[in-house]
Amino acid sequence: MIIREYRAQDWERLKYFLERVEREFSVSFPDINEKNSFYDIFLILLNGKSVVGSLGIKKRNKSVEIRRLYLLEEYRGKGYGKKILKNALRGCKENGFHPVTAETTYDN
């Protein structure tokens, strides 16, 4: 498993991942596009060439908001969510962003 920032060449794989998440959670992603123009940092979790997880970071002055943390069902409960979140929090701390807020749904 690899965690890294989204790149434009990942778009087709990310789009497939988002379609699966949309079906499972009945959500939409108007804030995510090929150029990733909304998020300052958008991390993806890769299993080989497949996107299996995501996390978006939006800067708000000296604080950040963490959004769009999703994992495909078969990757949940294995510590991958914790890994991608720790990776994001470490990057926020290293860049002096504090506090960090997170968005979640009512059933998480």
Side-chain angles (χ1 to χ4, degrees), residues 5-80:
E5 284 193 50
Y6 165 81
R7 301 176 192 142
Q9 64 262 30
D10 298 318
W11 177 241
E12 289 304 317
R13 291 184 292 254
L14 179 61
K15 194 164 69 168
Y16 178 73
F17 165 78
L18 295 174
E19 288 167 357
R20 289 187 61 189
V21 172
E22 284 175 340
R23 282 192 304 273
E24 182 178 355
F25 291 99
S26 298
V27 295
S28 62
F29 297 97
D31 55 338
I32 300 174
N33 57 45
E34 186 172 359
K35 294 180 181 173
N36 186 34
S37 55
F38 181 78
Y39 291 100
D40 296 293
I41 300 170
F42 196 81
L43 299 176
I44 56 174
L45 176 65
L46 294 166
N47 182 9
K49 292 185 177 184
S50 298
V51 176
V52 299
S54 68
L55 184 146
I57 298 172
K58 181 71 177 164
K59 296 176 187 173
R60 307 268 187 217
N61 297 318
K62 286 302 280 180
S63 68
V64 294
E65 181 180 34
I66 292 180
R67 302 180 71 197
R68 303 301 192 192
L69 173 55
Y70 289 103
L71 294 172
L72 294 181
E73 185 176 14
E74 56 270 30
Y75 295 90
R76 295 181 206 142
K78 298 178 179 173
Y80 297 122

